[in-house]
Amino acid sequence: MDSLNQIEIQNIRHICGHGTNFCDKITYYKTLTQDTNVTDLLDSLCQELNTLKSKLSSML
């Protein structure tokens, strides 16, 4: 990972930031439904985004 240039590092930071925004939106969308299948799916999606974000952050 020592070969990342500044643009690539900036792109990773943007991905992490967008993941946080997506989770905020997912949290809002969960309030719009009572369907447990949908809320479970949205929870797992947000969990995967958080996992991706932590893995990308650990690369830096």
Side-chain angles (χ1 to χ4, degrees):
M1 272 309 157
D2 295 333
S3 63
L4 290 176
N5 63 36
Q6 288 295 85
I7 293 173
E8 292 165 333
I9 292 171
Q10 183 178 4
N11 288 338
I12 291 171
R13 288 183 181 142
H14 283 271
I15 291 169
C16 291
H18 291 305
T20 301
N21 291 339
F22 292 148
C23 281
D24 292 343
K25 289 180 182 183
I26 287 170
T27 302
Y28 168 72
Y29 293 143
K30 283 176 30 182
T31 64
L32 301 177
T33 184
Q34 298 298 322
D35 187 351
T36 57
N37 291 331
V38 173
T39 56
D40 290 344
L41 178 65
L42 292 174
D43 281 336
S44 67
L45 180 59
C46 194
Q47 183 178 1
E48 290 295 323
L49 282 169
N50 285 329
T51 302
L52 175 64
K53 186 172 76 170
S54 67
K55 286 181 179 180
L56 287 173
S57 295
S58 70
M59 289 173 33
L60 301 178

